[in-house]
Each structure stands twice: as C-alpha cells, then as structure tokens.
Amino acid sequence: MRVEPAVSVVGHVAVPGDKSISHRAVMFGALGEGETRVRGFGRGGDTMATVHAMRALGAGVDELSDDELVVHGVGVRGLRAPDAPVDCENAGTLIRLVAGVLAGQEGRFELTGDESLRSRPMERIAAPLREMGASVETTDGHAPIVIVGSGALHGIDYELPVASAQVKSAVLLAGLNASGATTVVEPKPTRDHTELMLEAAGVGVRRRSTSVTVQPATSLRLGEVDVPGDFSSAAPFLVAAAIVPGSDVTVHDLGLNPRRTGLLDVLERMGARVAIFNRRRAGREPVGDVQVEYGELVATRIDAAEVPLLVDELPLVALLASHARGDTVVAGAAELRLKETDRIAAVADGLHACGAHIRPREDGWTITGVPARLKGGKVDARGDHRIAMLGAIAGLASREGVEIVGADTVAISFPGFYEMLDSLVTR
Ligand code: S3P
C-alpha cells in the first residue's frame, strides 16, 4: 500500500475501544458470575483471539454487534481444558494473562500462537506461576506453553524483574485462585487496567505507590463494562496532527488512563498544542476528548521511568523526533526488542529508508530531527501493526509518500485504520 503526502490532517474522530481493556473485559467476564455486557469492545485480530480462547475454555460469548458483546461467565474456577491447544495467535496480552488465569484451574492446558508470538519471552510469566505452585513448561522459554493448573496455589510477594503490565496481571490473576494474598512490586508504574477492573468486579485490591496486592476471590461480578477509545489507536492521528503543518485533530471518547498517556506529555514538551476537554469516567477509567494542533517541534529525551507510560507509542515518538529541531534520545526501552517484532530495528530501518537521521541504540534510538518533511520511501511492517501505522503517518508527512509492506497487519488492533485516516486527510 502507498500512502501519499497530505496537505493537512484536520477533523474529529472516535477510535475503536481499548485493546488492553477489551481483552480484560472478555477474560474477566468469562471468570465472572452470570452475564457481563461489554460495550465499545475494540474488535481486532488480538481481541477476537481472546473471544475464541474464552469460548474454547468453556465460556459463552454472544456478539450482539461489532462492538457489543455479552460474556456468559463460568465462575472464577470454572474454565475447562479443551482437547486442542488454545491458539493465542498474535496476542501477547492474551497468552500472558490467560496463563495466570489457567494456573489456578484444574486441568492441563496448552497455549500457543503465531510465529511472532512463539518468539516472545514466556519465562517471565512461567517463573512466578511456578513459584505459586502451578506446573508451567515453556518451549525453551517460549510458547507452546503447557500448564497443569492447581487448585492449591499459594499467594506470593513478587518483585517484577521488568516493568510489564502483562506479567503483573498474570501474577495477580493467578492470585485470585491462590490461598493468601498475592503482592506484585513494580520497578516502574505500568498500566493498571487489571487492578481497576478487578476492583470493579468486587475483588479485594490494595494499591500502594510501587505495589499492588490482591486477595483470593470466590466470585467476580462485572455486570457492564464501557470500554473507552484506545489511546494507542488514537496516537497515530495525534502524531500526524503534530507533524503536518496546518493540522488540527480531535479524538473523542478516548481512554486517558495516566499510565497510558505519556505521549501527551511528550507532545507538549516538544511543542505541539494539546488540549483535553470533557474529562469524565467510564467505570473507573478516565476518559476525555483530546485535540492536537501542529506546532514547531523541538527535540526531547525519554528515559526508562517514562517508557511504560508510552511503550506502544515509542515508534511514533521516533517519527515526531525526526521532525523536531535537535537531537532526541530514547533510552531505557530495550523491551521494544521483544514486542510483535524487534521494534527498535524495525523503526530505525523504516524511518532511515524514508530519509530520517536515526541510529538504533541497544535500548532505543538517537534521532537528529529537521523541521521539514522527510523524503519518503518504503517501510516494512514486519508483521507488526504499530509499524504499519507508523509507515502510514510517515507517508502523510513526507514529500513523496511511503510504501508500506504488509499494511494489512493493522487489523490486529484497528481494522478500519486507513479509512479513518483518509477521512482526516486533505491532499
Ligand atoms: C499490555 C502491556 C504492554 C503493552 C501491550 C499491552 C497489556 O506489554 O506493550 O501492548 O495489555 O497489559 P508489556 O506488559 O509486555 O510491557
């Protein structure tokens, strides 16, 4: 696919429901009592993998429309082992969270996924789950994973070796079916959708500045979940507005959990104009409308403490930095090498091919920006939805356009991405 340069990017949109929250709503609904209605479900390849997995494990999921589901829960210990392996496809959040859930269910479960997922590290969840009393076997540290769940897990105090919401969530979810309390200590704050949703479902959750404790639960009751717009799906539009002169984009009904919105702070300190309106809540999640207008950008620095707050937006930060006067350093982001693809390499190669001055570091990039359009070129998505979206925004902001190899992969998180982008573009 080719994305041609835009004169400007202007307008109002609402993006599909948050992927992280959608996964959790379906999964926790499956563990719930009775029905959970999920409104604003963010339908995509990843979240549908969770729907299929929960059905395979014995829960019912009715699809009332594209973005509304009813999940029929089987109770906190009610999942059953299917005959076939559970295919988590491309979804890291699914495989890691469900591993935590299954550790406390009776039976033998096999979890697998596509080639990308099978290359990602899984010992990070296996180790704490074994400590809690489950039998967890990885394949040389990767999926396929075989879990023999135990009805006799015990709570642990676990200090996360990496700042990861997926690992934190896996341990907390196993804790629901453990004896005694389970505490996870975080090196840096990461997204807290699991904690917020478990609290809403009536689970005993205690939060301190660097740790979270859950109590075992005999039942979960969510009732209704209103999923806010996915900040990570809005981010490409917000970044397009910041780098294409004359642009002005507003995204409505957007999730604004402070552990997800690090990009807004970065946009502001680089010189884009950012405004937030209509702040409110969807359940326990903060929501609002976000407007970004073009501004002349200056370089910035991003270190480890900020990384979890914008981990999925860092490829877009590299593009912002390519348009900002001065040298930007992104450091402390080695986790990017372990995402759907090695995002440090994919971004460095892709933006370099478009004319950016970007050098990879082991844990990020150094980027020398120029406040002018990049020439354009070719970006290989390498099967990674966030890299395809990066290529599209690079194309809009370029002089000659960008060809995206593997553009279809956006459907993992945002099937209608290109159409929505088109609706904002003046050419
Ligand atoms: C996610 C956590 C993050 C993020 C991923 C979704 C989640 O991964 O990159 O896209 O839903 O918990 P890590 O926990 O591996 O950092």
Side-chain angles (χ1 to χ4, degrees), residues 18-21 23-24 46 90 92-93 96 120 124 163-166 190-191 193 230-237 239 259-264 302 306-320 330 332-333 335-341 343-344 347 365 384-390 393 412-413:
D18 187 89
K19 176 156 86 76
S20 287
I21 298 173
H23 280 301
R24 287 160 171 82
D46 270 11
N90 195 238
T93 301
R96 296 204 176 107
R120 300 179 65 184
R124 51 177 61 190
S164 163
Q166 292 177 354
T190 66
R191 65 189 70 192
H193 306 303
D230 193 326
F231 188 84
S232 297
S233 297
F237 305 142
V239 166
R259 295 186 179 190
R260 292 288 298 282
T261 54
L263 177 70
L264 295 182
I302 290 170
E306 203 172 12
V307 163
L309 311 179
L310 75 173
V311 62
D312 295 333
E313 287 66 67
L314 286 170
L316 290 164
V317 170
L319 181 64
L320 278 174
V330 175
E335 275 290 304
L336 292 185
R337 295 201 181 272
L338 306 172
K339 296 294 178 188
E340 284 82 332
T341 186
R343 287 185 178 161
I344 291 180
V347 169
W365 310 278
D384 184 325
H385 54 132
R386 306 262 177 237
I387 304 298
M389 293 185 204
L390 171 73
I393 306 306
I412 284 293
S413 60

Side-chain angles (χ1 to χ4, degrees), residues 27-28 30-31 49-50 52-59 74-82 84-88 93-112 125-126 129-130 132-137 145-153 169-178:
M27 210 179 288
F28 302 179
L31 294 173
T50 291
H52 297 142
M54 291 306 120
R55 285 183 181 143
L57 291 164
V74 294
V76 76
R77 283 185 184 215
L79 296 177
R80 56 153 203 262
V86 177
D87 187 357
C88 300
T93 301
L94 168 57
I95 196 168
R96 296 204 176 107
L97 269 62
V98 84
V101 168
L102 297 176
Q105 312 279 322
E106 300 283 354
R108 179 188 181 278
F109 303 89
E110 187 173 339
L111 303 174
T112 189
I125 48 143
L129 297 178
R130 278 185 209 118
M132 297 177 80
S135 155
V136 184
E137 263 178 56
I145 308 174
V146 175
I147 300 176
V148 182
S150 161
L153 295 186
S169 300
V171 176
L172 295 176
L173 291 169
L176 297 178
N177 280 326

Side-chain angles (χ1 to χ4, degrees), residues 262-263 265-267 269-270 299-308 310 313-314 317-318 320-321 328-333 361 363-365:
L263 177 70
D265 301 322
V266 171
L267 280 167
R269 67 180 190 253
M270 292 181 84
T300 189
R301 184 176 172 98
I302 290 170
D303 288 311
E306 203 172 12
V307 163
L310 75 173
E313 287 66 67
L314 286 170
V317 170
L320 278 174
T328 291
V329 175
V330 175
R361 308 162 36 112
D363 63 345
W365 310 278

